[in-house]
Amino acid sequence: MARRDYDPATAPPDDRPAAKAKAFDTTGPRAWRGSLAGEAIGSANTILAYATDTVGEGPRLHVHPYDESFVVIMGHARFFVGDEVIEAAAGDVLLAPAGQPHRFENAGPGRLQTIDIHHSPRWIQTDLD
């Protein structure tokens, strides 16, 4: 079914050109990790790729002044957002609202791979532990 959510005449294209940059190296044997600041390509969002093969491993508890969305690409994760604990698996998308302390870990078995979307043109973070 074709989508027709808006009239393109009401939102003309802006003057930015299409852009491309590398966020992580896919040629090595390690899990994919890396980041790309949105400002590097004229975007309002910063993208991180995170992966680990170690169960229990993940980013430390931290907070951002903007929302962060997570897309679980592979494996199982346990997210801690504020007072909530959320189990997630490949295909799930989660939100850590601005100002909410959060972290996640590989719940296993196997590799955890996520794409983390920082709703900011640059990565701004305060680690809490």
Side-chain angles (χ1 to χ4, degrees), residues 43-63:
S43 173
N45 297 301
T46 294
I47 305 298
L48 279 70
Y50 179 84
T52 182
D53 292 319
T54 305
V55 174
E57 183 176 87
R60 62 181 50 198
L61 186 67
H62 61 276
V63 66

Side-chain angles (χ1 to χ4, degrees), residues 1 9 11 14 28 31 72 95 111 122 127 129:
M1 174 187 274
D14 64 28
V72 180
L95 171 71
R111 175 172 292 174
R122 62 186 182 94
D127 293 334
D129 66 357

Side-chain angles (χ1 to χ4, degrees), residues 3-91:
R3 293 185 61 148
R4 300 198 193 304
D5 297 329
Y6 78 104
D7 177 358
T10 65
D14 64 28
D15 292 330
R16 293 178 299 157
K20 174 186 166 185
K22 181 87 60 187
F24 54 90
D25 181 12
T26 62
T27 62
R30 292 182 35 116
W32 295 351
R33 285 194 190 183
S35 64
L36 178 66
E39 60 194 1
I41 59 171
S43 173
N45 297 301
T46 294
I47 305 298
L48 279 70
Y50 179 84
T52 182
D53 292 319
T54 305
V55 174
E57 183 176 87
R60 62 181 50 198
L61 186 67
H62 61 276
V63 66
H64 311 285
Y66 49 77
D67 290 348
E68 183 176 8
S69 299
F70 304 90
V71 182
V72 180
I73 302 298
M74 175 188 294
H76 295 87
R78 184 170 298 110
F79 284 82
F80 303 86
V81 181
D83 294 331
E84 294 185 60
V85 178
I86 304 167
E87 301 290 329

